[in-house]
Amino acid sequence: MSDAVVAPSIWNITARQWLILVTVQLTTLLYGMSITVANVVLPQIQGAMSATQDQIAWVVTFNLVATAVGTPLTGWLANRLGWRTVLFGALAGFTVSSALCGIANSLEFLIAARIGQGFFGAAIMPMGQGLLMASFPRPLHALVTMIWGIGAVFGPISGPALGSIVSEATNWQGAFLMIVPPAIVATALTWFALAGHNERRRVSFDWTGFLALACALSAAQLIIDRGQRLDWFASTEIVIEACVAAGALWIFVVHSLTTHRPFFDLRILLDRNFTVGLLVAFVMGMLSFTPMVLFPTLLHGLRGYPESLIGLLLAGRGLGNLASFLIVVQATRWNARYALAAGLFLQALSGWWMAQLDINMTTADVFWTNALQGFGFGLAFTPMSVLAFATLSRHHLAEGMSLFHLIRNFGSSLFISASVVVVIRSTAANYAILSENVSNFNRTLAWPSALGAWDPTTSIGLSQISSELERQAAMIGYINAFYLYTITAALAVPLAWLLRDVPKEKD
């Protein structure tokens, strides 16, 4: 009598697999916190360092550039040195860099530490997701991706909340130092959890391809991050960076197509699911953090909400994510393409709901629109990841993961910048339009009931009217940004049908 084959399920995975899952979850959570925690303490750092607005912006900009440069290296390093060595080294460097951020006493030192934090941290997310795909059988990919997604989602959300609490209780340095103890634990866990992931392959390093790609990504990231402050192509710096980005990208593509051993094997783009998955990842990156960036300035600047209340309202996104985790595994197993399309549609619906808000929005409006956005994002993320890597060979996983997260991060930076541009330009344009109506020739203003307490005949009254017009114009700017979000999510829905469905396997 032959032995029965035990189908993979959550009840029969090994202790080593559980350890890998816990380790990856923790590392992803910590990296997500490090991305957003700096934004909370920037005003404190600026005051402590006596830095200008442009100088303090480099704390974020150089971190993003270092992440953009480090992410493409992940695939090559994993193949050359082994997954265990790379992830352990990345976490060790990330931990040390976070500690250095916490003891920095000058702006130059802090920027250097943030560069290290971004460069070493770049490998954490692609390596973590790749390890899960390689360590668990395909029927469990939806489940482990969902669990991994909890850390990926809650890291950026919990970072600002915990960072603000710690920085208020101590100082801005405490926000960075709070990451260090759990990062040490995660580094130690990695060494033991990945004991069986030491496989190495002789892979030559393509310096031309890497340097061209690094220059293109760095220049593009600088354009995205500094363009609005420098008035885009009116600035010589932006023009130079655009030329560098275009030229370096052209060199990278031509070189990759003509050399025998390119830095990125572009043949993986022949895999239909992976290529379409990259497009979806790009859009999902665009949709991931945009509401979290727009709502704090909207609520604080236009409604005067305190930061603590804003944090609680934006936690609705986390609640929505948690709710999606209850059904996303079953939905992905039933039909991953339907689940992905539904998730993208719900994000479009949440964006449309946000675009219907006005200056008198309630706390319930903010909370539930963010909850719906979080639910849609959580519902789409797992099937997107499963479908994108369903047909990719195992030895291309590390390379594919680094490219996947590179595209997703780039989409996030690009769309946040585009949304901010829409808000600023729309605010200026609508203020000009609205202010045209404040004139002695406007008969409506002659009626006291139309003006209330405002008196256009005095300088104080005109100042009050101007402030209100600016608030209304800014609200129109945010609404336009939410419409852009809605259109982007809606246009991405058909991409789900370009993916081949995952072959059904019994659990």
Side-chain angles (χ1 to χ4, degrees):
M1 183 176 179
S2 61
D3 294 335
V5 177
V6 180
S9 72
I10 192 174
W11 305 112
N12 57 24
I13 63 177
T14 65
R16 176 60 58 80
Q17 288 175 320
W18 274 116
L19 185 58
I20 291 174
L21 183 57
V22 170
T23 302
V24 169
Q25 174 76 300
L26 179 58
T27 58
T28 303
L29 180 68
L30 293 174
Y31 175 69
M33 290 175 62
S34 73
I35 295 175
T36 54
V37 71
N39 296 325
V40 177
V41 296
L42 275 184
Q44 292 187 39
I45 298 174
Q46 184 177 1
M49 302 290 185
S50 299
T52 65
Q53 184 67 34
D54 197 56
Q55 288 173 332
I56 202 65
W58 289 113
V59 174
V60 174
T61 301
F62 273 121
N63 178 266
L64 294 173
V65 171
T67 302
V69 173
T71 302
L73 278 172
T74 304
W76 180 84
L77 288 172
N79 289 324
R80 190 71 178 85
L81 304 177
W83 291 26
R84 181 195 195 189
T85 303
V86 173
L87 188 56
F88 179 82
L91 281 168
F94 174 78
T95 303
V96 172
S97 299
S98 299
L100 293 176
C101 289
I103 63 173
N105 54 10
S106 69
L107 185 60
E108 294 78 12
F109 190 96
L110 177 60
I111 291 174
R114 285 284 288 170
I115 290 173
Q117 194 180 44
F119 182 79
F120 287 108
I124 292 176
M125 287 192 71
M127 285 294 297
Q129 190 176 7
L131 279 167
L132 294 182
M133 295 292 184
S135 303
F136 289 83
R138 180 173 292 171
L140 290 178
H141 281 184
L143 177 64
V144 297
T145 301
M146 178 271 292
I147 297 175
W148 173 81
I150 296 175
V153 168
F154 278 91
I157 293 176
S158 60
L162 294 176
S164 60
I165 294 173
V166 172
S167 62
E168 288 179 6
T170 57
N171 54 34
W172 65 266
Q173 294 170 316
F176 290 106
L177 291 175
M178 73 175 182
I179 298 175
V180 176
I184 293 174
V185 174
T187 305
L189 285 175
T190 299
W191 186 255
F192 296 104
L194 304 185
H197 292 77
N198 295 314
E199 180 184 352
R200 302 183 181 185
R201 293 193 295 125
R202 280 192 168 274
V203 183
S204 60
F205 190 76
D206 177 17
W207 281 104
T208 302
F210 169 69
L211 291 175
L213 182 60
C215 288
L217 291 173
S218 300
Q221 191 65 62
L222 287 170
I223 293 171
I224 292 171
D225 196 62
R226 293 175 57 78
Q228 180 57 40
R229 284 196 299 275
L230 300 179
D231 198 20
W232 298 101
F233 291 99
S235 165
T236 303
E237 177 188 327
I238 298 299
V239 172
I240 293 173
E241 288 165 353
C243 293
V244 171
L249 181 62
W250 181 82
I251 293 173
F252 171 75
V253 172
V254 172
H255 176 76
S256 298
L257 293 175
T258 54
T259 189
H260 292 293
R261 295 178 179 177
F263 179 71
F264 263 129
D265 187 357
L266 297 184
R267 287 177 297 180
I268 64 175
L269 297 179
L270 297 176
D271 185 300
R272 172 176 161 180
N273 265 33
F274 181 70
T275 301
V276 178
L278 289 180
L279 293 176
V280 179
F282 181 72
V283 175
M284 286 287 284
M286 297 169 77
L287 304 177
S288 57
F289 297 124
T290 302
M292 291 179 61
V293 173
L294 295 180
F295 267 111
T297 54
L298 187 160
L299 295 175
H300 183 73
L302 304 187
R303 296 298 307 274
Y305 282 19
E307 293 179 358
S308 57
L309 179 57
I310 293 173
L312 290 175
L313 294 177
L314 296 185
R317 172 188 163 98
L319 180 66
N321 280 130
L322 279 177
S324 72
F325 295 152
L326 299 176
I327 65 169
V328 67
V329 175
Q330 294 82 355
T332 302
R333 289 175 176 173
W334 172 64
N335 193 303
R337 292 186 299 174
Y338 278 124
L340 174 58
L344 290 169
F345 174 76
L346 288 176
Q347 289 181 86
L349 185 61
S350 71
W352 181 84
W353 189 1
M354 293 173 187
Q356 308 313 305
L357 301 177
D358 56 34
I359 201 74
N360 298 313
M361 71 187 81
T362 65
T363 54
D365 292 329
V366 178
F367 183 87
W368 289 113
T369 52
N370 278 274
L372 181 60
Q373 191 269 337
F375 184 85
F377 186 86
L379 185 61
F381 189 86
T382 295
M384 172 192 69
S385 301
V386 171
L387 288 168
F389 295 96
T391 55
L392 197 65
S393 61
R394 187 181 185 279
H395 70 274
H396 278 139
L397 269 179
E399 188 176 30
M401 284 294 176
S402 62
L403 185 58
F404 182 82
H405 286 281
L406 173 66
I407 293 296
R408 194 167 73 92
N409 291 339
F410 186 73
S412 180
S413 299
L414 178 65
F415 197 68
I416 288 173
S417 179
S419 299
V420 171
V421 169
V422 168
V423 172
I424 293 175
R425 297 292 174 91
S426 294
T427 299
N430 284 283
Y431 179 81
I433 294 172
L434 292 173
S435 61
E436 290 176 355
N437 297 303
V438 182
S439 167
N440 292 329
F441 299 101
N442 188 340
R443 294 184 178 181
T444 304
L445 300 183
W447 295 91
S449 59
L451 289 172
W454 297 327
D455 185 359
T457 62
T458 67
S459 58
I460 295 177
L462 285 174
S463 177
Q464 292 173 336
I465 294 173
S466 176
S467 297
E468 182 59 27
L469 291 180
E470 189 171 354
R471 287 178 71 234
Q472 298 293 339
M475 189 65 212
I476 296 173
Y478 284 108
I479 289 172
N480 289 340
F482 290 137
Y483 273 124
L484 176 64
Y485 180 96
T486 304
I487 294 170
T488 302
L491 291 177
V493 173
L495 292 175
W497 309 115
L498 298 179
L499 292 156
R500 292 191 178 95
D501 208 354
V502 180
K504 294 195 180 296
E505 300 183 40
K506 295 183 179 180
D507 298 337

